[in-house]
């Protein structure tokens, strides 16, 4: 159901758009926009429809991070991420398996391809590439602007899927304390932001399941803004956390809201889409007790009966114990167990007892936890 327009917000939004468009026109005229980027966000789909979204922006020249980057370098890169100059209303072409598709970026520079193949798909691996080309000329001496978007397609024997939160589930953020969260976000980078101990090996164990083949798909749903996509994508890679579509949100002013989309609405919408796309697949949900994950996951279980096999909640805030316990009781009535865990080893022990991971992986998880804790003590 479309949201009701809010007249004062609509006026503010139109003013914001006018300023952005004037700024972009001036910067182009002055030659301050020297190169452009197509940033595809990892997509997913099935044999009937593939979704790939992304954004076209001025090249913000952030580049890869390094362990030796200073605090000021990290702050500078994060500032550039949030000061993106977006390119609205330009046409893009997608090429996939010999077919072409076209779309345009919206007012905020976002694009969306909903690819519905007209012929049977041919693929041998679960990650496929879609070639993207910017069709419109925006700046002088632009040259060819191209990029490749990765999309997940189900291949092979899949036992279950995993949907995981990111903040305070994979990496500590201090989301309940604004000052700490801002310091962590801006002063560190993908190398120096360290995940919770054992997460990488536990997630790899779930990805392998009991057949030892890395075929169980991961999906990451977070309320972080899209501006942080490259940072979070790099963090997952550096710390060897399984690759998977990363679904963030736009948090700017819209015609209906001062801050676009609530935390819970965004997560529910993305999880609904995943579960609907893979309608025959059971899922595990992984989150934390710091915000609304238990409540959101309860709603998911109500809407998709029989689809959720387990919920793991990382215990990051003692004041939420009573609320989590109450939700856990409601979930039991619906036939789903929600386990509140203090660390990754607890979750992996439960998964081992249920026959979802291999015992050899359990040993590696415990070893990684000890190693991670020792490294953190040295820091």
């Amino acid at each position: 159901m479309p949201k009701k327009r809010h007249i004062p917000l609509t006026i503010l939004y139109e003013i914001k758009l006018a300023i952005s468009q004037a700024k972009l026109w001036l910067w182009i005229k002055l030659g301050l926009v020297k190169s452009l980027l197509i940033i595809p966000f990892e997509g997913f789909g099935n044999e009937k429809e593939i979704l790939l979204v992304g954004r076209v922006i001025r090249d913000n020249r952030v580049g890869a991070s390094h362990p030796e980057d200073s605090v000021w370098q990290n702050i500078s890169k994060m500032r550039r991420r949030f000061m993106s100059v977006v390119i609205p209303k330009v046409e893009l072409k997608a090429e996939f398996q010999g077919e072409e598709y076209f779309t345009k970026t919206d007012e905020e520079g976002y694009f969306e391809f909903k690819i519905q193949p007209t012929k049977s798909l041919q693929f041998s691996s679960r990650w496929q590439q879609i070639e993207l080309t910017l069709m419109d000329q925006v700046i002088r001496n632009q040259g060819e602007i191209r990029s490749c978007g990765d999309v997940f397609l189900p291949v092979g024997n899949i036992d279950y899927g995993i949907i995981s939160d990111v903040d305070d589930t994979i990496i500590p953020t201090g989301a309940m304390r604004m000052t700490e969260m801002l310091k962590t976000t801006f002063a560190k980078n993908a190398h120096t932001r360290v995940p919770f101990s054992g997460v990488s090996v536990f997630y790899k164990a779930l990805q392998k399941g009991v057949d030892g083949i890395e075929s169980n798909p991961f999906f990451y749903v977070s309320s972080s803004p899209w501006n942080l996509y490259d940072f979070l994508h790099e963090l997952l890679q550096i710390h060897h956390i399984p690759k998977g579509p990363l679904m963030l949100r736009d948090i700017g002013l819209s015609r209906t809201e001062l801050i676009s989309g609530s935390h819970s609405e965004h997560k529910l919408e993305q999880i609904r889409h995943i579960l609907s796309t893979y309608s025959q697949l059971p899922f595990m949900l992984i989150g934390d007790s710091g915000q609304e994950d238990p409540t959101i996951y309860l709603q998911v279980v109500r809407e998709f009966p029989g689809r959720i096999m387990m919920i793991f909640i990382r215990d990051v805030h003692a004041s939420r114990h009573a609320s989590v316990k109450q939700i856990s009781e409601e979930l039991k009535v619906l036939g789903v167990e929600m386990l509140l865990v203090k660390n990754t080893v607890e979750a992996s022990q439960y998964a081992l007892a249920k026959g979802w991971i291999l015992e050899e992986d359990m040993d590696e998880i415990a070893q990684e936890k000890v190693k991670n804790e020792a490294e953190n003590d040295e820091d």
Side-chain angles (χ1 to χ4, degrees):
M1 181 178 178
K3 293 178 180 178
K4 186 177 179 181
R5 285 170 68 96
H6 189 289
I7 300 301
L9 287 180
T10 299
I11 294 170
L12 283 174
Y13 183 73
E14 295 297 340
I15 292 172
K16 184 193 91 166
L17 283 181
I19 293 172
S20 296
Q21 289 166 6
K23 176 182 171 183
L24 177 61
W25 178 85
L26 180 61
W27 282 29
I28 290 173
K29 288 294 183 183
L30 294 175
L32 298 177
V33 181
K34 300 184 183 299
S35 58
L36 306 176
L37 287 178
I38 302 172
I39 304 178
F41 310 137
E42 286 168 349
F44 63 96
N46 53 34
E47 68 281 357
K48 294 180 180 178
E49 184 174 89
I50 299 167
L51 177 68
L52 178 68
V53 299
R55 208 173 194 185
V56 179
I57 65 170
R58 181 187 69 154
D59 188 350
N60 54 15
R61 303 186 184 280
V62 170
S65 63
H66 303 90
E68 62 273 13
D69 286 349
S70 69
V71 169
W72 295 114
Q73 285 176 306
N74 293 334
I75 291 173
S76 176
K77 287 184 177 183
M78 196 59 71
R79 181 189 63 81
R80 276 177 279 178
R81 289 186 177 103
F82 281 95
M83 298 296 288
S84 297
V85 176
V86 304
I87 312 299
K89 306 300 182 181
V90 291
E91 187 174 45
L92 289 140
K93 177 177 72 174
E95 298 173 79
F96 182 62
Q97 302 231 339
E99 296 193 51
E100 295 182 347
Y101 307 86
F102 295 88
T103 193
K104 283 195 170 186
T105 59
D106 66 11
E107 298 161 329
E108 302 283 353
Y110 293 105
F111 63 84
E112 177 180 276
F113 282 101
K114 284 187 177 179
I115 294 173
Q116 297 172 329
T118 58
K119 58 186 180 182
S120 179
L121 295 177
Q122 303 294 322
F123 50 89
S124 57
S125 62
R126 63 184 184 274
W127 286 100
Q128 297 291 307
Q129 286 196 328
I130 296 177
E131 299 283 340
L132 301 172
T133 305
L134 179 61
M135 304 301 292
D136 293 329
Q137 181 165 346
V138 180
I139 58 176
R140 287 173 294 183
N141 304 316
Q142 178 174 295
E144 190 174 49
I145 309 296
R146 297 176 64 89
S147 185
C148 285
D150 287 348
V151 292
F152 169 80
L153 297 170
V155 173
N157 182 30
I158 299 175
D159 298 317
Y160 51 79
I162 304 99
I163 299 173
S164 174
D165 180 40
V166 177
D167 296 338
D168 285 329
T169 298
I170 294 177
I171 50 172
T173 63
M176 300 293 289
R177 298 174 297 280
M178 182 60 70
T179 303
E180 182 179 338
M181 183 179 70
L182 291 173
K183 179 181 176 183
T184 301
T185 300
F186 283 87
K188 295 186 177 182
N189 63 39
H191 289 272
T192 53
R193 290 282 297 276
V194 180
F196 286 107
S197 299
V199 167
S200 172
V201 181
F202 177 49
Y203 278 26
K204 283 182 181 178
L206 290 175
Q207 185 183 41
K208 290 191 298 183
V210 292
D211 61 7
I213 301 172
E214 296 178 351
S215 58
N216 297 329
F218 266 83
F219 302 85
Y220 302 99
V221 179
S222 169
S223 291
S224 292
W226 283 116
N227 308 69
L228 294 178
Y229 180 84
D230 72 300
F231 162 75
L232 292 174
H233 187 266
E234 185 183 21
L235 184 144
L236 295 178
Q237 283 186 315
I238 287 170
H239 297 288
H240 309 294
I241 293 167
K243 181 176 181 176
L246 180 61
M247 283 154 273
L248 310 181
R249 64 171 176 150
D250 183 17
I251 61 171
L253 172 70
S254 75
R255 289 185 174 88
T256 57
E257 295 171 298
L258 193 59
I259 299 178
S260 298
S262 73
H263 170 81
S264 58
E265 286 176 355
H266 163 71
K267 283 197 168 184
L268 277 170
E269 180 183 352
Q270 299 303 327
I271 294 172
R272 286 169 183 147
H273 187 193
I274 296 166
L275 292 176
S276 298
T277 300
Y278 306 104
S279 58
Q280 305 302 313
L281 197 64
F283 275 83
M284 292 184 194
L285 305 177
I286 306 178
D288 64 83
S289 64
Q291 293 184 308
E292 301 173 61
D293 288 348
T295 304
I296 294 167
Y297 294 167
L298 172 60
Q299 182 63 27
V300 170
V301 171
R302 286 172 174 161
E303 292 184 19
F304 295 88
R307 297 291 309 284
I308 306 303
M309 55 191 288
M310 183 65 199
I311 299 173
F312 292 108
I313 297 293
R314 184 179 292 278
D315 184 6
V316 297
H317 211 276
S319 67
R320 298 295 178 90
H321 286 180
S323 172
V324 172
K325 184 177 180 181
Q326 180 183 342
I327 293 172
S328 180
E329 294 300 321
E330 293 182 58
L331 283 164
K332 278 183 184 177
V333 174
L334 297 172
V336 176
E337 185 169 4
M338 182 170 74
L339 190 66
L340 184 66
V341 297
K342 291 193 176 298
N343 55 58
T344 308
V345 171
E346 282 187 39
S348 59
Q349 287 171 337
Y350 185 92
L352 177 64
K354 287 289 186 178
W356 295 330
I357 64 174
L358 297 169
E359 190 165 358
E360 62 197 57
D361 291 321
M362 181 66 214
D363 295 337
E364 193 175 349
I365 292 163
Q367 291 171 12
E368 189 192 57
K369 182 175 183 293
V370 171
K371 178 186 174 185
N372 291 160
E373 289 174 346
E375 290 173 347
N376 289 339
D377 287 342
E378 289 175 5
D379 294 340

